[in-house]
Amino acid sequence: MDNFTGIKHTTFYAIGLSYKKADAEMRGKFSLNEKTRIDLLNQAKNENIESLFVISTCNRTEIYGFAEHPFQLIKLLCDNSLGTVEDFQKIAYIYKNREAISHLFKVGTGLDSQILGDFEIISQIKIGFTESKKLGLGNSYIERLVNAVIQASKRVKNETQISSGATSVSFASVQYIMNNVSEIGTKNILLFGTGKIGRNTCENLVKHTKNDHIVLINRTREKAEKIAGKFNLIVKDYANLQLEIQKSDVLIVATGAQNPTIDAAILNLKKPLLILDLSIPKNVNENVNNVEGVSLVHLDYLSQVTDETIEKRKEHIPAAEKIINEIVEEFMTWSKARKFAPTIHSLKEKLSSIKKSELNYQRKKLDNFNEEQAEIISDRIIQKITTHFANHLKHENTMVDESIEWIEKVFQLNH
């Protein structure tokens, strides 16, 4: 039987875990790199899994594919990661059929992302499917599904405002700088502190300001050099901090110190200075506001900007869901038709065979047998019968697998 899974009694599943229930440590246990992803796919092939693909990011690890039982997919994940089945049971999820399809659409369109409207994941879905296809594990059903998700992602991005505005503090800070400092590409920017938020801000600065006057200072010079090398920036010693601040138009403070490292006493300014304090706890003393030409912006203000962005994005969820539902329905219609098409074709052949033997019998029995008329009438009856069956199978409440089995039993179909 050539149904859409290719193997009888397999089901389409989505299994995995995400930031919603699994903390960073647990997500780390189940994460897969390029090698372990390929190992997983090869193991799936050896275990006769017909079609699947894998995605693994810092926020989620998931397998989408066909199996007789979801444990086959869970085993693949645990065999190729540091996660155990016991861990999986505590923090993971299993979706099947339509639920699994809906979940993939939510993931691919940014509705299930840690930051609502983050579309980074769609490229991981493309990579995951490409890896599977290369190994012969991407059947036409999954290919069509992935393409439908890509289409939905594009439409949600282009037709709604769900990804508008800044959603990370590092990006919000760079947007703030760009909106408040004219000719930013020519200005001197000093980044003090190269922890995670400092690194992300640095990356966003390079990407969005096209500025090559960015100087990095960190208490540990090697850390700054590591990041500077990646982006081809300048590193100065911590001892030069005061001098570099004087040269700067923008100072970004992202250190992990427990007490303020920047205060009015070290500011001997010759020009206006915008200071962004991205540290927790605050690393810039409020007394800098007393220095002429200084503007101070705190992390809490930028966090508020990103929170407002997320709230605004939420307003566009219904519009995104409408697009998703439309494309999911198109996919489900295609998938049902594909599933029962071979059965309808076999039914037609069976009825044609019955017609043929009946016409042969009548031809011998009747002297004035009108073969042409008999052909036309019987073909029309066959068409009407098969259309009735097709309409039944298309109906949304029909249990397609059971109906196909029933039709094949009744008409003794072999295809």
Side-chain angles (χ1 to χ4, degrees), residues 218-258:
N218 196 60
R219 284 179 190 273
T220 316
R221 186 181 170 110
E222 298 90 272
K223 282 187 181 175
E225 281 173 343
K226 207 172 173 184
I227 293 161
K230 189 179 172 190
F231 299 112
N232 200 20
L233 305 174
I234 305 152
V235 174
K236 296 282 179 159
D237 285 331
Y238 178 58
N240 295 341
L241 180 63
Q242 198 168 351
L243 182 64
E244 289 303 321
I245 289 172
Q246 283 177 23
K247 294 181 194 171
S248 302
D249 300 288
V250 178
L251 167 63
I252 300 162
V253 182
T255 64
Q258 290 306 299

Side-chain angles (χ1 to χ4, degrees), residues 270-283:
K270 295 178 173 60
K271 56 180 174 177
L273 178 67
L274 169 64
I275 305 175
L276 276 76
D277 185 359
L278 309 184
S279 313
I280 302 171
K282 291 175 180 178
N283 267 218

Side-chain angles (χ1 to χ4, degrees), residues 7-238:
I7 304 167
K8 204 169 183 182
H9 303 312
T10 62
T11 301
F12 182 66
Y13 290 104
I15 67 109
L17 55 129
S18 75
Y19 67 92
K20 287 185 176 176
K21 273 182 82 176
D23 60 22
E25 187 188 347
M26 195 57 87
R27 296 200 303 275
K29 276 190 182 183
F30 284 96
S31 72
L32 301 164
N33 57 29
E34 190 177 349
K35 184 194 177 297
T36 50
R37 283 200 311 270
I38 301 300
D39 289 346
L40 186 153
L41 295 176
N42 283 319
Q43 185 181 331
K45 213 170 176 181
N46 293 335
E47 292 177 6
N48 297 317
I49 301 280
E50 187 228 352
S51 186
L52 84 169
F53 72 95
V54 185
I55 54 174
S56 187
T57 70
C58 55
N59 284 330
R60 69 179 67 246
T61 297
E62 296 178 329
I63 300 175
Y64 295 87
F66 289 102
E68 289 173 42
H69 190 279
F71 185 73
Q72 290 172 286
L73 304 180
I74 296 164
K75 181 179 177 294
L76 285 173
L77 178 56
C78 295
D79 284 354
N80 291 282
S81 70
L82 301 174
T84 65
V85 174
E86 290 73 27
D87 289 336
F88 185 90
Q89 285 170 330
K90 287 175 202 157
I91 45 91
Y93 40 80
I94 298 166
Y95 301 115
K96 62 189 274 192
N97 293 335
R98 180 142 189 168
E99 261 193 335
I101 290 161
S102 295
H103 179 69
L104 179 58
F105 271 88
K106 277 184 190 161
V107 170
T109 54
L111 293 190
D112 198 70
S113 297
Q114 189 162 22
I115 295 171
L116 178 66
D118 180 0
F119 285 93
E120 289 296 310
I121 193 73
I122 198 69
S123 61
Q124 301 296 327
I125 291 170
K126 287 178 191 172
I127 290 164
F129 177 70
T130 305
E131 286 174 345
S132 290
K133 199 176 177 187
K134 275 181 190 165
L135 291 169
L137 285 162
N139 68 2
S140 55
Y141 179 90
I142 285 187
E143 182 157 21
R144 177 92 175 213
L145 175 59
V146 167
N147 285 334
V149 173
I150 293 167
Q151 183 197 355
S153 173
K154 279 181 188 163
R155 281 192 55 194
V156 167
K157 202 171 186 178
N158 296 333
E159 296 173 31
T160 76
Q161 298 290 306
I162 206 157
S163 61
S164 60
T167 51
S168 71
V169 169
S170 57
F171 184 47
S173 61
V174 173
Q175 273 207 329
Y176 183 89
I177 293 166
M178 289 170 74
N179 292 337
N180 291 278
V181 180
S182 58
E183 297 175 0
I184 187 62
T186 64
K187 297 294 197 286
N188 294 326
I189 302 173
L190 173 61
L191 177 63
F192 176 38
T194 52
K196 189 182 177 187
I197 202 160
R199 285 197 307 274
N200 291 346
T201 305
C202 186
E203 197 164 337
N204 279 311
L205 279 169
V206 173
K207 191 172 167 185
H208 300 288
T209 65
K210 310 286 184 262
N211 185 309
D212 55 3
H213 309 273
I214 301 170
V215 173
L216 304 187
I217 292 181
N218 196 60
R219 284 179 190 273
T220 316
R221 186 181 170 110
E222 298 90 272
K223 282 187 181 175
E225 281 173 343
K226 207 172 173 184
I227 293 161
K230 189 179 172 190
F231 299 112
N232 200 20
L233 305 174
I234 305 152
V235 174
K236 296 282 179 159
D237 285 331
Y238 178 58

Side-chain angles (χ1 to χ4, degrees), residues 1 3 9 11 47 51 110 123 140 246 262 292 298 313 323 346 355 378 391 407:
M1 173 180 171
N3 72 7
H9 303 312
T11 301
E47 292 177 6
S51 186
S123 61
S140 55
Q246 283 177 23
I262 305 291
E292 195 182 338
H298 278 302
R313 285 186 176 192
I323 291 167
S346 293
K355 175 197 89 170
S378 51
N391 287 339
I407 293 164

Side-chain angles (χ1 to χ4, degrees), residues 289-352:
N289 283 314
N290 303 328
V291 178
E292 195 182 338
V294 167
S295 308
L296 174 63
V297 178
H298 278 302
L299 173 81
D300 45 16
Y301 170 76
L302 295 165
S303 299
Q304 193 183 321
V305 170
T306 62
D307 289 345
E308 282 171 16
T309 297
I310 295 297
E311 287 308 309
K312 279 182 187 161
R313 285 186 176 192
K314 284 179 183 172
E315 294 167 16
H316 303 287
I317 291 174
E321 285 176 337
K322 194 178 174 198
I323 291 167
I324 292 164
N325 290 340
E326 191 184 306
I327 295 172
V328 167
E329 284 312 317
E330 281 172 19
F331 177 76
M332 295 308 291
T333 303
W334 170 84
S335 115
K336 265 194 173 184
R338 181 173 183 264
K339 200 173 187 181
F340 64 68
T343 303
I344 293 296
H345 180 71
S346 293
L347 175 62
K348 208 165 195 173
E349 282 185 347
K350 182 77 174 188
L351 294 174
S352 296

